[in-house]
């Protein structure tokens, strides 16, 4: 982080700024990997990842950055705590943004399905299950939800705005992830 502070001190117009930025990127990458894989502190890794992205003039691989960000948010939510659902929602939003930028991303679809189920969003989970079934990439649980929903949840009338959630979701998800 000393490189980042030094870079801020020197400014972006100085000749040594490019060299300092390169060093800062390399050290931030190492610190992110350390916090992510060895220390198990996803929140700290996420903060460093955002600082790392700020050092890039033009984002080279936005999809990869979103993927790492979503994984770190997933890891933070898995650790629990008082804001676990908020972290899951942030992870869901990040996976959805990743899917927008990379439409065929199967892991993003699977995580969106899982998080929608955990957050008790049955319509979203059904949509992701349908996509996975259509791509012939669905797991047994995803196929099961797709089939259960097809049997017990008739299509809504044309023009319906607020369709009721199937009652079988009232007791929680149909399967464990």
């Amino acid at each position: 982080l000393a490189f980042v502070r030094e870079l801020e001190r020197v400014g972006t117009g100085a000749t040594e700024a490019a060299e300092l930025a390169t060093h800062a990127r390399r050290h931030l990458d190492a610190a992110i990997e350390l916090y992510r894989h060895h220390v198990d502190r996803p929140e700290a890794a996420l903060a460093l990842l955002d600082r790392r992205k700020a050092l890039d003039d033009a984002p080279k691989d936005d999809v990869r950055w979103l993927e790492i960000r979503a994984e770190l948010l997933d890891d933070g939510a898995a650790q629990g705590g008082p804001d676990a659902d908020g972290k899951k929602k942030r992870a869901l939003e990040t996976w959805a943004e990743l899917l927008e930028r990379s439409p065929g991303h199967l892991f993003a679809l699977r995580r969106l399905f899982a998080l929608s189920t955990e957050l008790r969003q049955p319509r979203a989970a059904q949509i992701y299950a349908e996509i996975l079934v259509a791509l012939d990439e669905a797991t047994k649980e995803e196929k099961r939800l797709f089939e259960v929903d097809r049997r017990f949840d008739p299509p809504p009338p044309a023009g319906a705005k607020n369709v009721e959630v199937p009652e079988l979701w009232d007791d929680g998800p149909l399967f464990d992830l």
Side-chain angles (χ1 to χ4, degrees):
L1 297 180
F3 285 108
V4 175
R5 284 191 221 107
E6 186 65 17
L7 182 61
E8 290 169 354
R9 184 190 66 76
V10 171
T12 56
T15 56
E16 62 185 310
E19 186 178 326
L20 285 172
T22 301
H23 288 297
R25 283 185 202 100
R26 189 171 48 244
H27 287 285
L28 282 170
D29 287 343
I32 290 166
E33 287 303 307
L34 177 73
Y35 279 120
R36 185 175 179 199
H37 296 292
H38 302 290
V39 182
D40 196 30
R41 291 192 43 209
E43 294 294 325
L46 189 60
L48 292 174
L49 182 70
D50 290 338
R51 288 187 89 169
R52 168 64 172 89
K53 183 165 173 50
L55 285 177
D56 289 332
D57 295 333
K60 296 175 186 163
D61 194 358
D62 242 7
V63 170
R64 182 66 186 137
W65 178 80
L66 281 169
E67 194 172 343
I68 294 170
R69 182 174 178 70
E71 290 170 0
L72 288 170
L73 287 166
D74 270 348
D75 293 345
Q79 289 182 341
D83 191 32
D85 279 348
K87 292 175 186 176
K88 286 179 185 177
K89 288 177 185 174
R90 286 176 40 214
L92 185 115
E93 292 167 0
T94 305
W95 284 116
E97 186 179 348
L98 173 62
L99 191 61
E100 279 181 32
R101 296 188 188 188
S102 181
H105 202 289
L106 291 176
F107 190 72
L109 280 168
R110 285 211 165 80
R111 288 306 303 145
L112 285 164
F113 172 77
L115 287 166
S116 298
T117 303
E118 290 172 26
L119 292 170
R120 300 180 58 82
Q121 298 176 353
R123 288 288 176 212
Q126 177 199 4
I127 290 168
Y128 297 124
E130 286 180 8
I131 293 169
L132 288 163
V133 167
L135 294 173
D136 200 26
E137 294 288 341
T139 63
K140 282 192 253 180
E141 290 86 9
E142 293 155 351
K143 287 178 184 175
R144 182 173 172 229
L145 174 65
F146 179 74
E147 293 303 320
V148 167
D149 197 75
R150 288 281 181 200
R151 282 192 316 237
F152 296 109
D153 192 23
K161 298 243 183 222
N162 293 322
V163 178
E164 289 189 36
V165 173
E167 292 177 351
L168 48 121
W169 281 86
D170 290 346
D171 295 327
L174 300 174
F175 47 84
D176 294 322
L177 297 176

